[in-house]
């Protein structure tokens, strides 16, 4: 419903300017057209990625801003695609096939995949062409702009010092548990039976039975295959009753029976890590990658600005 409304609004605001030219072309980049359908698709995707509510598009000014941003992205893509072709960086059929196959994964049927493409104003053919252009642009950018992406040790150190909070690690624990599942609305009889079972397991654990083996044998949680181990986690990652009980333990200690929304648990604390800061040497590779990605993005944007100054660009709708 909202997509239909958005399509109607776009049509109404662009009708007057489009009468003098090909109705389905909203812009031309060095003579190559950008279609109305492609613009609408780009607006749709942008709105969905940003979590924007379609119902909020009620003013012409809002719609024009969204259109303008989307069209700028399409113009940039067209400029880069043209340059990639000129310099011989066109994706091979095999590369495009692999990208299509990756995009196709996750859909239960071919029709479901085609329906998803249609929602974004693509056919199988036009989507394949879009992928071909994007892969080509990526190949060209990495081949021609990589020399502009160099990060010095001084830059890494400066970023580390200025962003200490990003490298702080809170206290963490590694625990094992046994879970006997119980629905929140379980009857008294079912609840009593589940409690008896977990208490019997607790007695075995307190008597010295191997906790990992107890978890593998009795736990109804997916962690049973790992002997009930959850791995290191910080506060806020576990349901509160479980978290409170686990963080109150010392390494090697067992909890009593703990009830959560999932059922009854027994917890054994394996290890505890105090709060710390990731050392600069350990953080450096991720910092370098982050800074390099930013420099690469800036280099691409600068090249787009240069190409735009040299290009013939016609905007055929009022923005």
């Amino acid at each position: 419903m909202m997509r239909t409304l958005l399509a109607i609004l776009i049509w109404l605001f662009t009708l007057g300017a489009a009468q003098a030219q090909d109705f389905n072309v909203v812009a031309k980049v060095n003579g190559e057209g950008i279609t109305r359908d492609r613009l609408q698709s780009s607006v749709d995707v942008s709105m969905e990625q940003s979590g924007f509510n379609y119902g909020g598009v009620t003013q012409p000014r809002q719609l024009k801003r969204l259109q303008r941003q989307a069209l700028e992205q399409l113009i940039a893509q067209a400029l880069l695609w043209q340059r990639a072709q000129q310099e011989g960086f066109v994706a091979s059929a095999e590369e495009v096939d692999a990208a299509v196959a990756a995009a196709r994964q996750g859909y239960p049927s071919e029709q479901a995949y085609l329906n998803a493409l249609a929602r974004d104003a693509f056919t199988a053919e036009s989507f394949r062409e879009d992928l071909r252009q994007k892969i080509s642009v990526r190949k060209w950018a990495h081949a021609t702009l990589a020399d502009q992406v160099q990060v010095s040790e001084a830059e890494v150190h400066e970023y580390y010092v200025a962003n200490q909070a990003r490298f702080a690690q809170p206290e963490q624990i590694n625990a094992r548990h046994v879970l006997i599942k119980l629905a929140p609305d379980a009857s008294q009889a079912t609840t009593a039976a589940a409690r008896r079972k977990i208490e019997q397991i607790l007695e075995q654990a307190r008597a010295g039975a191997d906790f990992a083996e107890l978890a593998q044998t009795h736990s109804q949680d997916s962690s049973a295959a790992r002997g009930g181990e959850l791995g290191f986690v910080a506060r806020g990652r576990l349901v509160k009753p479980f978290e409170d009980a686990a963080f109150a333990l010392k390494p090697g200690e067992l909890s009593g029976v703990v009830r959560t929304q999932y059922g009854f648990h027994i917890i054994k604390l394996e290890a505890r890590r105090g709060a710390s800061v990731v050392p600069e040497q350990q953080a450096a590779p991720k910092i370098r990658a982050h800074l390099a990605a930013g420099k690469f993005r800036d280099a691409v944007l600068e090249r787009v600005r240069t190409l735009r100054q040299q290009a013939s660009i016609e905007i055929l709708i009022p923005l």
Side-chain angles (χ1 to χ4, degrees):
M1 179 72 175
M2 290 303 176
R3 286 179 180 274
T4 302
L5 176 59
L6 183 60
I8 293 172
L9 287 171
I10 291 175
W11 182 78
L12 288 173
F13 288 117
T14 59
L15 177 59
Q19 288 175 340
Q21 62 269 336
D22 182 356
F23 179 77
N24 199 39
V25 174
V26 296
K28 291 183 179 179
V29 180
N30 293 322
E32 294 185 7
I34 296 173
T35 66
R36 186 177 309 279
D37 290 343
R38 190 69 190 93
L39 174 59
Q40 182 176 328
S41 171
S42 184
V43 171
D44 289 350
V45 171
S46 177
M47 291 178 72
E48 290 177 4
Q49 289 177 344
S50 63
F52 196 88
N53 187 340
Y54 277 88
V57 184
T58 58
Q59 300 297 323
R61 183 166 48 189
Q62 288 178 299
L63 178 60
K64 288 186 177 182
R65 176 175 57 81
L66 291 168
Q67 283 184 284
R68 184 165 53 249
Q69 292 171 347
L71 187 56
E72 286 298 321
Q73 292 177 352
L74 293 174
I75 289 171
Q77 181 176 331
L79 289 168
L80 294 173
W81 163 234
Q82 290 171 4
R83 180 50 59 101
Q85 292 178 91
Q86 292 167 8
E87 298 187 14
F89 291 94
V90 177
S92 67
E94 292 76 16
E95 289 173 313
V96 180
D97 287 342
V100 171
R104 169 67 176 78
Q105 287 182 349
Y107 292 96
S109 67
E110 183 67 15
Q111 191 58 53
Y113 168 66
L114 294 175
N115 290 343
L117 295 186
R119 285 194 294 270
D120 289 330
F122 281 119
T123 62
E125 292 74 19
S126 65
F127 181 65
R128 181 183 177 85
E129 176 60 22
D130 187 66
L131 286 177
R132 185 169 78 105
Q133 292 186 17
K134 288 178 178 176
I135 295 169
S136 301
V137 167
R138 185 162 58 246
K139 290 177 66 174
W140 168 83
H142 282 283
T144 61
L145 302 177
D147 59 341
Q148 299 180 34
V149 182
Q150 298 181 12
V151 179
S152 68
E153 294 300 321
E155 289 174 310
V156 171
H157 177 69
E158 181 180 349
Y159 184 91
Y160 179 81
V161 171
N163 295 275
Q164 282 288 291
R166 295 191 178 191
F167 305 105
Q169 290 186 329
E171 180 186 24
Q172 296 178 307
I173 60 168
N174 183 14
R176 296 181 188 271
H177 78 128
V178 176
L179 168 65
I180 300 301
K181 288 185 176 180
L182 186 68
D185 59 351
S187 67
Q188 289 185 349
T190 302
T191 301
R195 179 174 284 278
R196 282 195 300 272
K197 185 171 184 178
I198 198 73
E199 287 176 345
Q200 289 170 358
I201 298 169
L202 179 58
E203 287 179 8
Q204 295 178 58
R206 286 174 173 170
D210 185 278
F211 194 88
E213 291 182 4
L214 290 173
Q216 287 176 337
T217 303
H218 300 289
S219 183
Q220 296 170 351
D221 184 64
S222 59
S223 64
R226 303 188 301 275
E229 186 173 8
L230 299 175
F232 279 96
V233 292
R235 287 187 181 275
R237 299 290 301 278
L238 304 167
V239 292
K240 194 168 191 318
F242 189 105
E243 179 180 279
D244 290 344
F247 272 86
L249 297 172
K250 296 177 182 178
E253 281 188 336
L254 290 169
S255 71
V257 174
V258 178
R259 184 167 185 177
T260 72
Q261 65 205 62
Y262 302 108
F264 292 118
H265 308 254
I266 306 166
I267 306 166
K268 181 182 180 182
L269 188 67
E270 294 290 323
R272 183 185 296 271
R273 289 176 180 168
S276 63
V277 176
V278 178
E280 181 174 349
Q281 185 176 5
Q282 183 179 338
K286 289 186 177 180
I287 295 174
R288 188 172 290 105
H290 172 74
L291 294 177
K295 287 191 173 188
F296 185 78
R297 182 176 58 251
D298 291 343
V300 171
L301 292 175
E302 182 58 35
R303 185 60 61 90
V304 168
R305 282 191 286 269
T306 300
L307 292 174
R308 183 164 188 141
Q309 291 171 356
Q310 301 168 349
S312 170
I313 297 174
E314 300 175 75
I315 307 298
L316 304 177
I317 57 175
L319 293 176

